[in-house]
Amino acid sequence: MDEKLTITTERKKLNYENKLILAPMVRIGTLPMRLLALDYGADIVYTEELIDWKLLRSFRRENDVLGTIDYVDKTDGTVTFRTCSKERDKVVLQIGTCDATRALKVAKMVEQDIAGIDLNMGCPKLFSLVGKMGAALLKEPEIAVNILKTLVDNLSISVTCKIRVLPDLDKTIELCKLLQSTGIAAIAIHGRTVDERPQHANRNDVLKEISKKLSIPVIANGGSKEIQKYSDIFKFKEITGCSSVMLARAAEWNCSIFSKEGLLPMEDVIKSYLKYAVDCDNPPSNTKYCIQNILREQQESPLGRKFLNSQTLEQICDVWNLNDYCCLKRKEFEEKGLLGRSQVSPMKEDEKQDEEQPSNKRKISEEEDVILMHYAFLRNNYMTDVELPKTILHKWTQTQKKKMPTYNTRQKGKLFRSIVTVDGRKYGSSFWEKNKKWAEQGAALVCLFSLGLINEKTFVSNSNVLS
């Protein structure tokens, strides 16, 4: 992740012929998994679907600590989209939208940092359907055509779309020809209808008929159940007659499916993924989700149960003996002044006027007279409510005949941080928690540690975390 950030004016459009492609997958297609897929042999990698309005409320920031380009949410400081120079000519951003104007605004925002943009026309989730996005566009082809043509006519990068087949073959071919007429570079097709699920057979014969009728590359999707090894990818390609193959679940389970050398052991894949997760400062919740999908039934093993009890990136790394690597990277990032998720700082007014201004080195400003420590509240560490920091602190103040603790909680976007006042002193954690209760527990935890009511031996190993 140390590559220098560079922007060039010349762009070579993506070639979608004979390519192995990582499919867009919710929560899976984040930067660590995309980089891992490229390492193993994927030619093109798609991001998870990113909703237009969420990107539009973000601003671009060059992160010189991580060597990434970050699109940061203005409301809460979280990263909406993170990319880097290593994938710049191979990454396709999939957008969820139902409006051509918004779609173009988003595409223009990210155009310099990606190789292509894809319109999601296949997601069957209720959220997408209600918002008239995803699979809802299959019933509104005129809207889809307007979006695609607007993008094709105004962008220097490749434009594609991803659809699901319709129940009727002729109508599916008719739709594909209509979409092709917009000038898109390729079309990815999932061989199931909106109502069908992975247990249903992929309609490979339909994909073959479509590929015969179109003049642009057709990317076959939906064959993971038939793909157990590298050679199976090409059998699927031959059966469908398509130009390229896009993998979702097969890559989600073991990303080394893209490797000519054959599948690697699950442990090796997880370790390689974890290193990228650390390098990219990936959120622990997202990292955990991706590993769960690699482990699958192995989550019930002793190692799997230990993993499920982890909450921080450092704890997850410890399960696979990568704790030293994680700590070393965290120290390196802190020395360089990384503004991480534990230090959320939404864009200031002056930054809103100059969104190109890099400010990832800005340190969190400590509140006056507050003892502030970098400790997280880890709910899984407490078996009963009696052990919770707030409960212990409450009982201590009672026995010492002091005033009860008072909590002052701040909210930024969807995150919370609290300051507790005990005996005239203020204590707080620099972590921003996902709810008010956890923020108060974190403040109480810092207070207990500061007062010597809990010691470093029993506490710090679970608290000095990479957020």
Side-chain angles (χ1 to χ4, degrees), residues 31 34 37 111 120 146 166 209 233 242 265 286 291 300 344 346 358 386 392 402 406 430 442 460 467:
L31 184 56
R34 299 197 305 265
E111 184 176 14
N120 184 348
N146 185 31
L166 303 177
E209 288 302 313
I233 299 174
C242 291
N286 179 256
I291 294 176
E300 298 304 317
V344 172
V386 176
I392 296 173
K402 299 180 182 294
T406 58
S430 61
V460 76
S467 59

Side-chain angles (χ1 to χ4, degrees), residues 391 393-405:
T391 304
L393 184 58
H394 182 85
K395 288 183 177 179
W396 180 81
T397 52
Q398 279 185 322
T399 59
Q400 298 297 312
K401 297 182 179 180
K402 299 180 182 294
K403 289 183 179 180
M404 289 295 102

Side-chain angles (χ1 to χ4, degrees), residues 38 66 75 83 114 124 146 180 202 242 256 329 387 397 424 465:
L38 290 174
L66 298 179
T75 61
T83 184
I114 60 175
N146 185 31
Q180 176 182 258
N202 203 56
C242 291
S256 66
K329 278 292 182 179
E387 300 172 343
T397 52
V465 297

Side-chain angles (χ1 to χ4, degrees), residues 247-419:
L247 297 181
R249 287 178 299 133
E252 174 184 311
W253 297 332
N254 190 325
C255 202
S256 66
I257 190 72
F258 290 112
S259 175
K260 295 178 182 178
E261 309 302 320
L263 284 175
L264 292 171
M266 178 181 65
E267 182 176 355
D268 292 352
V269 174
I270 291 175
K271 284 184 175 181
S272 295
Y273 169 77
L274 267 176
K275 285 184 177 180
Y276 271 132
V278 171
D279 292 347
C280 300
D281 188 34
N282 202 51
S285 58
N286 179 256
T287 301
K288 191 170 183 178
Y289 179 81
C290 291
I291 294 176
Q292 281 181 283
N293 282 279
I294 299 173
L295 284 174
R296 300 168 70 195
E297 64 274 5
Q298 293 299 314
Q299 291 180 70
E300 298 304 317
S301 67
L303 179 141
R305 287 194 292 271
K306 181 180 178 182
F307 159 72
L308 291 176
N309 285 330
S310 63
Q311 283 186 268
T312 69
L313 200 50
E314 188 174 71
Q315 289 176 332
I316 296 170
C317 285
D318 189 50
V319 176
W320 280 278
N321 300 314
L322 289 173
N323 184 274
D324 288 346
Y325 182 84
C326 186
C327 290
L328 185 66
K329 278 292 182 179
R330 182 192 172 199
K331 183 178 179 182
E332 174 189 324
F333 294 159
E334 287 181 344
E335 288 175 350
K336 291 181 178 179
L338 177 67
L339 186 66
R341 281 175 307 282
S342 63
Q343 298 171 313
V344 172
S345 183
M347 191 167 57
K348 294 180 178 180
E349 289 301 320
D350 57 342
E351 288 180 287
K352 291 178 184 177
Q353 297 171 9
D354 182 9
E355 295 184 353
E356 294 298 318
Q357 176 183 342
S359 56
N360 56 296
K361 286 190 174 182
R362 188 175 63 253
K363 298 274 189 177
I364 188 170
S365 58
E366 297 185 3
E367 291 86 346
E368 187 177 357
D369 297 328
V370 176
I371 297 175
L372 199 64
M373 297 182 179
H374 191 67
Y375 293 151
F377 170 68
L378 309 177
R379 184 61 182 88
N380 286 354
N381 285 355
Y382 305 92
M383 301 299 294
T384 66
D385 289 346
V386 176
E387 300 172 343
L388 293 174
K390 282 185 68 176
T391 304
I392 296 173
L393 184 58
H394 182 85
K395 288 183 177 179
W396 180 81
T397 52
Q398 279 185 322
T399 59
Q400 298 297 312
K401 297 182 179 180
K402 299 180 182 294
K403 289 183 179 180
M404 289 295 102
T406 58
Y407 294 86
N408 178 25
T409 304
R410 295 168 52 196
Q411 181 177 357
K412 285 185 179 180
K414 298 179 181 179
L415 302 176
F416 299 82
R417 205 174 79 181
S418 187
I419 300 297

Side-chain angles (χ1 to χ4, degrees), residues 61-106:
R61 175 176 285 169
E62 294 189 7
N63 188 325
D64 55 352
V65 175
L66 298 179
T68 60
I69 298 293
D70 299 342
Y71 286 83
V72 183
D73 193 314
K74 297 174 184 177
T75 61
D76 61 14
T78 57
V79 177
T80 303
F81 171 53
R82 173 166 283 164
T83 184
C84 67
S85 58
K86 182 176 179 178
E87 68 168 5
R88 179 172 176 263
D89 295 325
K90 298 177 180 179
V91 64
V92 175
L93 186 147
Q94 187 183 71
I95 185 175
T97 187
C98 62
D99 183 86
T101 301
R102 288 201 306 269
L104 184 58
K105 283 182 180 178
V106 167

Side-chain angles (χ1 to χ4, degrees), residues 192-286:
R192 295 182 180 85
T193 67
V194 173
D195 296 323
E196 290 176 332
R197 294 296 173 262
Q199 63 266 29
H200 295 100
N202 203 56
R203 303 190 184 204
N204 295 337
D205 55 334
V206 174
L207 296 181
K208 190 164 189 174
E209 288 302 313
I210 295 171
S211 64
K212 290 178 182 177
K213 303 292 184 182
L214 299 188
S215 59
I216 60 173
V218 176
I219 305 166
N221 180 229
S224 285
K225 195 158 58 173
E226 305 162 32
I227 298 172
Q228 305 297 319
K229 56 186 182 297
Y230 183 77
S231 59
D232 291 340
I233 299 174
F234 299 94
K235 289 180 184 177
F236 179 63
K237 181 176 182 291
E238 184 179 356
I239 290 170
T240 60
C242 291
S243 303
S244 297
V245 174
M246 174 181 278
L247 297 181
R249 287 178 299 133
E252 174 184 311
W253 297 332
N254 190 325
C255 202
S256 66
I257 190 72
F258 290 112
S259 175
K260 295 178 182 178
E261 309 302 320
L263 284 175
L264 292 171
M266 178 181 65
E267 182 176 355
D268 292 352
V269 174
I270 291 175
K271 284 184 175 181
S272 295
Y273 169 77
L274 267 176
K275 285 184 177 180
Y276 271 132
V278 171
D279 292 347
C280 300
D281 188 34
N282 202 51
S285 58
N286 179 256

